[in-house]
Amino acid sequence: GDWSSDVCSSDLLKRKVRKLIEEENPRHPYTDDQLAALLQGQGIQVTRRTVAKYREDLHIPSTHQRRRREA
């Protein structure tokens, strides 16, 4: 489908963001830029800003905070 017109895709994208973060290397957490690039690699047109918004919606800390938490 066409992601840009798919209103329901935000829930799917949030799940994808969460999954990527769950599977990341705790010593090298993804940045929002890297997460956006990974999703774009799956054919999903998403900006870093959108990824950051979804991450915040999921109450997932920033890259810096995740790295410190796991260290």
Side-chain angles (χ1 to χ4, degrees), residues 52-69:
K53 177 170 135 3
Y54 289 153
R55 180 177 53 69
E56 288 165 10
D57 287 348
L58 293 164
H59 306 292
I60 296 171
S62 69
T63 307
H64 177 68
Q65 290 167 310
R66 296 205 307 278
R67 185 182 296 123
R68 200 167 53 217
R69 190 188 69 208

Side-chain angles (χ1 to χ4, degrees), residues 1 6 10 16 18 20 25-26 29 36 41 45 50-51 54 56 61:
D6 184 357
S10 65
K16 285 181 176 290
R18 188 195 304 250
L20 286 169
N25 179 341
Q45 293 311 305
T50 302
V51 169
Y54 289 153
E56 288 165 10

Side-chain angles (χ1 to χ4, degrees), residues 11-58:
D11 289 334
L12 178 64
L13 278 174
K14 284 180 190 175
R15 285 201 294 273
K16 285 181 176 290
V17 168
R18 188 195 304 250
K19 188 169 190 291
L20 286 169
I21 290 171
E22 283 174 352
E23 294 174 353
E24 73 190 0
N25 179 341
R27 295 191 187 285
H28 301 286
Y30 294 125
T31 64
D32 294 335
D33 279 314
Q34 288 171 315
L35 289 166
L38 287 164
L39 291 167
Q40 286 165 14
Q42 297 178 24
I44 299 164
Q45 293 311 305
V46 63
T47 63
R48 186 202 63 78
R49 185 180 297 156
T50 302
V51 169
K53 177 170 135 3
Y54 289 153
R55 180 177 53 69
E56 288 165 10
D57 287 348
L58 293 164

